[in-house]
Amino acid sequence: MQSWPTPDLPMLPSGARPLRLYDTAADEIRPTAPDATARIYVCGITPYDATHLGHAATYLAFDLVQRLWLDAGHRVHYVQNVTDVDDPLLERAAATDTSWSELAERETELYRRDMTALRVLPPTDFVGVVESVDEIAEAVAKLLADDHAYRLETDIYARTSSSGHFGYESRYSREQMLALFAERGGDPDRAGKQDPLDALLWRGRRDGEPSWDTVAGAGRPGWHIECSVIARNRLGMGIDVQGGGSDLRFPHHEHSAAHAEALTGEFPFARHYVHAGMIGLDGEKMSKSRGNLVFVSKLRGAGVDPMAIRLALLDGHYRADREWTGGRLPAPERRLATWRKASAAPAGPDGAALLARVRERLADDLDTSAAIAAVDRWARATLEQQSDGADPAAPALMAATVDALLGIKL
């Protein structure tokens, strides 16, 4: 599947700091420790509708992870999937009398345009489930052959107990897992399952649904196994970061890790499990079911500068659940105008000190609010001419810092 263009990335002077991130499984902020090539997998969209601000906030968080690793001299192998066949997509297609494949193609293209406008670094591998059906089916067949899965009528389920570590990633109690499983696409009450938490690996052929003839039988992949296979086949095990929204902590990331660990006998699937907070509107998480989505494309269509959207979403900690209101846009628009004016000044205060401060704050679990505040102070001092010994090179370094590390093009 085609990705989107890579934005220009300015080179900064040496001095990057190692990135520390909160790991859900460890319940603490720990250093990331990539090899020469950092490996990251981020769960992608189900393209049944346009990119909303909750999606955008998640992908911006992991865009910063990429930028900080690149600044530290690592290469980055980033994989992202597209769930271009799944129940929500099929339901949306039926409701709008649209071909499911045409709907997926259209919304995926709109997602590409939104990511391009927001200057998100593209994944190295942008992989659709449809193009991965055979490799997923092979993994399902292996799990079945190794007795890590079982058939239930025409479907195939994973044995929750097979990895030997189930529950370590989310750290939820069984009662919490059962409640979330029912709420987030699971089927704990299905008769015949060996454990209510067993997850669907393969959905057997149903009339009126897309289906493929494979080594696992006729049907299509379940949700969690797709990410296990797409990630493992391209990145291997022990990847540096498995990322996504906090609503993926369970069941999606727990099960996808368990499937990969059962397939390989290796542990853990990822060294860090990193989750971004939810974006809410009027006190509720943005979701299609609630009808409260704010779309990136609609804001762009209304003439909002994508860099103002990006600034608005970065002005808050990535792990925190945040509220979006229309009143937030004037503030980032004013901030963006101030930064642009300051970056065009003939001179400014110490640009190297600003770079060091932004690096320091972002390396500490992506503290974007503090990094933005540091740029605010620099811009204010520049425009008010409050500094002694202003440096003519400082405005250019400030613009490069903001571009390379925060992704804001001035």
Side-chain angles (χ1 to χ4, degrees), residues 90-389:
L90 302 180
E91 292 163 6
R92 175 72 169 175
T96 57
D97 195 25
T98 307
S99 159
W100 65 269
S101 56
E102 290 177 0
L103 175 62
E105 184 177 347
R106 184 182 72 229
E107 297 303 335
T108 301
E109 176 56 28
L110 182 54
Y111 171 72
R112 292 188 189 99
R113 294 200 296 268
D114 287 338
M115 294 297 100
T116 300
L118 292 172
R119 303 188 74 251
V120 172
L121 298 174
T124 315
D125 297 303
F126 191 49
V127 186
V129 170
V130 169
E131 66 186 286
S132 310
V133 165
D134 286 341
E135 63 184 284
I136 297 169
E138 289 172 6
V140 172
K142 184 178 188 306
L143 286 169
L144 197 60
D146 292 345
D147 202 30
H148 294 316
Y150 59 92
R151 292 189 182 275
L152 180 55
E153 299 172 349
T154 62
D155 301 332
I156 301 175
Y157 281 84
R159 287 194 169 90
T160 296
S161 59
S162 285
S163 77
H165 301 280
F166 190 80
Y168 81 93
E169 180 270 327
S170 65
R171 297 180 292 103
Y172 287 138
S173 68
R174 183 173 175 84
E175 290 72 23
Q176 289 173 305
M177 289 182 186
L178 286 167
L180 289 171
F181 197 51
E183 178 185 324
R184 296 174 177 172
D187 55 356
D189 297 327
R190 181 173 179 179
K193 289 175 60 174
Q194 296 178 3
D195 186 317
L197 288 174
D198 289 348
L200 181 70
L201 290 171
W202 191 259
R203 180 175 170 85
R205 188 194 302 274
R206 306 294 203 270
D207 289 341
E209 294 186 7
S211 178
W212 289 263
D213 292 321
T214 73
V215 295
R220 58 185 171 91
W223 179 27
H224 314 305
I225 187 64
E226 70 181 59
C227 285
S228 291
V229 172
I230 290 172
R232 185 181 65 88
N233 285 359
R234 289 154 185 83
L235 297 171
M237 293 292 286
I239 64 177
D240 294 293
V241 167
Q242 156 78 313
S246 60
D247 55 343
L248 299 185
R249 175 174 171 178
F250 190 91
H252 186 53
H253 284 176
E254 191 73 67
H255 278 291
S256 60
H259 296 341
E261 290 156 5
L263 273 167
T264 63
E266 298 178 41
F267 176 85
F269 174 54
R271 299 175 184 176
H272 268 76
Y273 295 93
V274 182
H275 297 105
M278 298 289 100
I279 303 296
L281 186 69
D282 298 327
E284 292 187 321
K285 168 193 164 184
M286 285 189 190
S287 70
K288 180 66 183 175
S289 61
R290 293 185 172 97
N292 64 347
L293 301 179
V294 178
F295 297 111
V296 172
S297 55
K298 293 291 180 65
L299 291 173
R300 292 196 293 112
V304 178
D305 189 325
M307 294 299 92
I309 301 171
R310 184 169 178 124
L311 258 178
L313 291 171
L314 292 179
D315 190 14
H317 198 273
Y318 80 97
R319 284 195 284 118
D321 293 339
R322 288 160 283 156
E323 284 288 307
W324 178 275
T325 67
R328 289 192 66 179
L329 281 173
E333 287 172 334
R334 287 192 298 270
R335 170 174 279 138
L336 185 61
T338 298
W339 287 12
R340 284 175 170 160
K341 186 176 180 181
S343 71
D350 190 347
L354 173 65
L355 170 59
R357 177 63 176 169
V358 171
R359 278 174 163 161
E360 174 193 30
R361 297 323 310 144
L362 292 180
D364 186 12
D365 199 30
L366 307 181
D367 187 355
T368 50
S369 293
I372 288 170
V375 181
D376 283 342
R377 289 191 296 271
W378 184 94
R380 188 164 52 249
T382 297
L383 295 177
E384 295 175 359
Q385 298 181 338
Q386 293 178 346
S387 61
D388 296 327

Side-chain angles (χ1 to χ4, degrees), residues 76-96:
V76 178
H77 190 172
Y78 173 26
V79 180
Q80 186 181 123
N81 74 305
V82 177
T83 305
D84 51 358
V85 59
D86 201 13
D87 290 345
L89 176 66
L90 302 180
E91 292 163 6
R92 175 72 169 175
T96 57

